[in-house]
Amino acid sequence: MTYENILSSMLEGVTSDVDKREGSIIYDALAPCALKLAETYFELNNFLNLVFSDTTVGIYLDRCVADFGLSRKQATKAIRKIITSGVVPIGTRWAIEDTTYKVIEFITVGEYKAECEQYGDIGNTYTGTLQSLDNISGITANLTAILLSGQEEENDENLRDRFYNKVRMPATSGNTYHYRQWALEVEGIGDCKVFPIWNGAGTVKVLIVDSNKEVDETLEATVATHIEEVRPIGATVTVDSPTAKTIEATSTITLDGSKTLEEVKASFEEKLKKYLNSTVFKTYSISYAMIGSILLTTPGVSDYENLLVNSGTANIAIESTEIPILGAVTLTEVVD
């Protein structure tokens, strides 16, 4: 139902003794109405997409999955270790770059837990010297280890995947799907893999990755605690992180003149990382041909040669307890 089709249909309903040419009174009267009707039909098509789980987004996806007892995971704050040269009061605030931290707990002499006041993974970003926001003089403070990483709000893709897992993989009586469901319920968990009877009868191993499909060992204790609260009596559960396998790529490329070498490299790294993330816990090899295809379709690349992935030209095997992560990418421009 396009504007042109609607207008044509409306004009056909006007008697032939009336001037219906463009610019005529009846044409100019019907055209705005036809445009509004076309806009309405377009919006109705979008509304249909917002009803079904495979095409809905945002708050409409939230409403869709809520019928099945699911809700979007909210952003969390990072908990960091602060090392100080003296005693600082609980509740004092410190800053580094564009983040601020509040001291929330004493650990030991000269060490404190501090919570980032900004939600999300920005709280995991910086380390180094802190500046006091409470005019504490004579004491230095340094931001060091991540005790519990901050996570961004769950994106539509991860929420949709959790929804599909729930409705397509029935979780009952502590089966494999049940452990997967329990792990994915924890804030910040993006995916997991369950190994039943991994160390004999009554043992279960759960490997987890964060919402960015990366290793985050700080989430292990949280997941273990949650599963311990809901698991069947008698099961011994081990929560661990997969081993990261670095994927490196080098190649000589011919530019088409639309992008600089730096822009091409950044775009290729982004696309390659997205591909690697898509394989986490799903495939057991990284395709050499796929990486070549990604490079060739990167904006600005006309052609490439001498592509090496982890110094070779073969597929990279990924073990069942490994996940691929992006390592160094080296692109060299062909010089005529």
Side-chain angles (χ1 to χ4, degrees), residues 72-78 118-125 149-155 158 186-189 210-212 216:
R72 190 183 299 271
K73 299 175 188 174
Q74 299 303 302
T76 61
K77 296 178 179 180
Q118 289 73 42
Y119 284 93
D121 55 17
I122 191 173
N124 313 326
T125 305
S149 63
Q151 299 292 329
E152 298 295 329
E153 180 181 74
E154 186 175 25
N155 59 34
N158 287 349
V186 176
E187 305 286 348
I189 299 300
D210 67 11
S211 55
N212 295 319
D216 188 342

Side-chain angles (χ1 to χ4, degrees), residues 3-58:
Y3 163 73
E4 292 79 7
N5 290 339
I6 294 172
L7 180 57
S8 176
S9 177
M10 295 172 74
L11 289 172
E12 287 175 2
V14 179
T15 58
S16 59
D17 60 341
V18 176
D19 184 2
K20 297 186 282 186
R21 293 173 298 176
E22 184 175 355
S24 66
I25 294 175
I26 192 64
Y27 186 99
D28 290 347
L30 293 178
C33 182
L35 178 61
K36 283 299 178 183
L37 284 173
E39 290 176 353
T40 300
Y41 278 110
F42 177 79
E43 291 176 356
L44 284 173
N45 285 332
N46 282 341
F47 290 150
L48 284 175
N49 287 335
L50 296 176
V51 171
F52 298 100
S53 60
D54 61 331
T55 52
T56 188
V57 295

Side-chain angles (χ1 to χ4, degrees), residues 30 56 66 84 130 144 160 179 220 243 250 270 274 286 322:
L30 293 178
T56 188
T84 67
L130 291 163
T144 59
R160 202 185 321 273
Y179 281 96
E220 293 174 8
T243 302
T250 63
E270 181 180 352
K274 185 175 182 180
I286 299 302
E322 293 180 329

Side-chain angles (χ1 to χ4, degrees), residues 29-320:
L30 293 178
C33 182
L35 178 61
K36 283 299 178 183
L37 284 173
E39 290 176 353
T40 300
Y41 278 110
F42 177 79
E43 291 176 356
L44 284 173
N45 285 332
N46 282 341
F47 290 150
L48 284 175
N49 287 335
L50 296 176
V51 171
F52 298 100
S53 60
D54 61 331
T55 52
T56 188
V57 295
I59 61 173
Y60 298 98
L61 177 59
D62 292 341
R63 295 172 66 177
C64 181
V65 302
D67 291 339
F68 295 83
L70 294 178
S71 60
R72 190 183 299 271
K73 299 175 188 174
Q74 299 303 302
T76 61
K77 296 178 179 180
I79 305 296
R80 303 289 298 271
K81 179 187 288 187
I82 289 180
I83 297 178
T84 67
S85 61
V87 177
V88 298
I90 302 298
T92 53
R93 300 172 67 240
W94 302 78
I96 181 173
E97 299 293 341
D98 52 351
T99 58
T100 56
Y101 298 82
K102 179 183 288 187
V103 176
I104 60 173
E105 185 179 329
F106 173 79
I107 300 177
T108 187
V109 177
E111 295 184 3
Y112 296 85
K113 287 184 181 180
E115 181 182 67
C116 182
E117 295 185 318
Q118 289 73 42
Y119 284 93
D121 55 17
I122 191 173
N124 313 326
T125 305
Y126 306 111
T127 58
T129 304
L130 291 163
Q131 302 297 320
S132 173
L133 296 178
D134 294 325
N135 297 320
I136 297 177
S137 60
I139 294 178
T140 60
N142 284 280
L143 188 65
T144 59
I146 299 173
L147 302 179
L148 182 63
S149 63
Q151 299 292 329
E152 298 295 329
E153 180 181 74
E154 186 175 25
N155 59 34
D156 286 350
E157 180 183 356
N158 287 349
L159 178 56
R160 202 185 321 273
D161 285 344
R162 282 204 298 131
F163 169 73
Y164 288 152
N165 287 330
K166 185 176 181 67
V167 298
R168 295 174 179 175
M169 304 175 183
T172 58
S173 306
N175 63 0
T176 299
Y177 298 145
H178 224 157
Y179 281 96
R180 177 175 174 78
Q181 176 181 310
W182 290 330
L184 292 176
E185 289 172 350
V186 176
E187 305 286 348
I189 299 300
D191 204 352
C192 73
K193 187 172 185 179
V194 180
F195 296 83
I197 321 177
W198 76 281
N199 195 28
T203 63
V204 178
K205 189 171 189 175
V206 181
L207 294 184
I208 59 169
V209 291
D210 67 11
S211 55
N212 295 319
K213 302 296 180 70
E214 297 174 350
V215 173
D216 188 342
E217 296 178 353
T218 68
L219 294 172
E220 293 174 8
T222 305
V223 175
T225 299
H226 178 67
I227 292 179
E228 192 67 20
E229 293 171 349
V230 294
R231 68 169 176 79
I233 296 174
T236 301
V237 183
T238 300
V239 178
D240 204 352
S241 296
T243 302
K245 185 157 191 174
T246 302
I247 304 299
E248 299 180 341
T250 63
S251 181
T252 303
I253 62 173
T254 302
L255 299 178
D256 63 11
S258 64
K259 303 286 184 180
T260 66
L261 181 62
E262 291 73 19
E263 290 173 330
V264 167
K265 182 174 182 293
S267 180
F268 174 58
E269 287 177 337
E270 181 180 352
K271 294 175 68 175
L272 181 53
K273 184 175 182 179
K274 185 175 182 180
Y275 163 62
L276 296 180
N277 285 349
S278 71
T279 69
V280 170
F281 295 149
K282 292 182 176 65
T283 59
Y284 294 102
S285 70
I286 299 302
S287 169
Y288 173 85
M290 179 62 74
I291 294 177
S293 175
I294 292 171
L295 179 57
L296 189 59
T297 56
T298 298
V301 176
S302 173
D303 201 357
Y304 73 88
E305 57 187 29
N306 302 324
L307 173 64
L308 297 177
V309 178
N310 285 12
S311 302
T313 58
N315 294 344
I316 306 299
I318 304 295
E319 300 296 330
S320 61

